[in-house]
């Protein structure tokens, strides 16, 4: 299979991975809102633990949204064969390898495709004569 096809498949997988991460981010932000509703509920019993929980959910949700957005942005750049897309995807692939088991597979696939000589050549800028 030509490397162009592998890059297209990688772009699709990065889009799906990013969309799932953003879905998790939205879910965590909704959980944070629920924890805040309980914290400032009508019973008036504020607890430090409830505040920590709401803050943790909000921070994790924001990080998941940024993480997912970075993957979707990288996939757009990959489809356009932009050199920045290759660099961004390589950076994300290294850290994605630590998310077992699917992140490891996606990260290893991205590294395998983008670090080959054919993968490098695909993203080299074209000289205009």
């Amino acid at each position: 299979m030509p490397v162009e096809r592998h890059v297209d498949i990688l772009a699709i997988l990065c889009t799906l991975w990013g969309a799932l991460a953003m879905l998790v981010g939205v879910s965590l932000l909704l959980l944070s809102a629920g924890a805040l509703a309980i914290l400032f509920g009508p019973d008036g019993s504020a607890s430090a633990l409830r505040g920590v929980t709401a803050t943790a959910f909000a921070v994790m949700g924001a990080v998941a949204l940024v993480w997912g957005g970075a993957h979707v942005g990288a996939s757009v750049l990959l489809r356009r064969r932009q050199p920045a897309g290759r660099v961004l995807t390589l950076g994300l692939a290294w850290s994605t390898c630590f998310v077992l088991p699917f992140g490891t597979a996606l990260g290893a696939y991205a590294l395998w495709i983008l670090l080959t000589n054919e993968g490098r050549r695909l993203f080299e800028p074209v000289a205009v004569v």
Side-chain angles (χ1 to χ4, degrees):
M1 186 182 308
V3 73
E4 293 89 4
R5 180 77 174 137
H6 281 292
V7 171
D8 291 336
I9 292 170
L10 179 62
I12 292 168
L13 291 174
C14 282
T15 301
L16 291 173
W17 185 259
L20 287 174
M22 290 192 307
L23 180 66
V24 168
V26 169
S27 299
L28 286 170
L29 288 175
L30 290 173
L31 282 173
S32 173
L36 283 175
I38 292 172
L39 178 64
F40 297 113
D43 63 351
S45 62
S47 168
L49 185 58
R50 292 177 185 166
V52 168
T53 302
T55 303
F57 281 151
V59 168
M60 288 186 295
V63 167
L65 281 174
V66 170
W67 178 259
H71 277 86
V72 171
S75 69
V76 169
L77 293 174
L78 277 179
R79 284 191 186 110
R80 294 180 184 169
R81 303 297 191 258
Q82 297 289 323
R86 179 181 176 268
V87 172
L88 180 59
T89 304
L90 282 172
L92 291 170
W94 283 109
S95 55
T96 301
C97 283
F98 294 106
V99 182
L100 296 172
F102 300 112
T104 305
L106 177 62
Y109 183 62
L111 293 172
W112 175 62
I113 294 303
L114 297 176
L115 290 177
T116 61
N117 289 332
E118 296 86 15
R120 279 191 203 118
R121 273 188 245 121
L122 189 61
F123 290 94
E124 288 178 352
V126 177
V128 178
V129 178

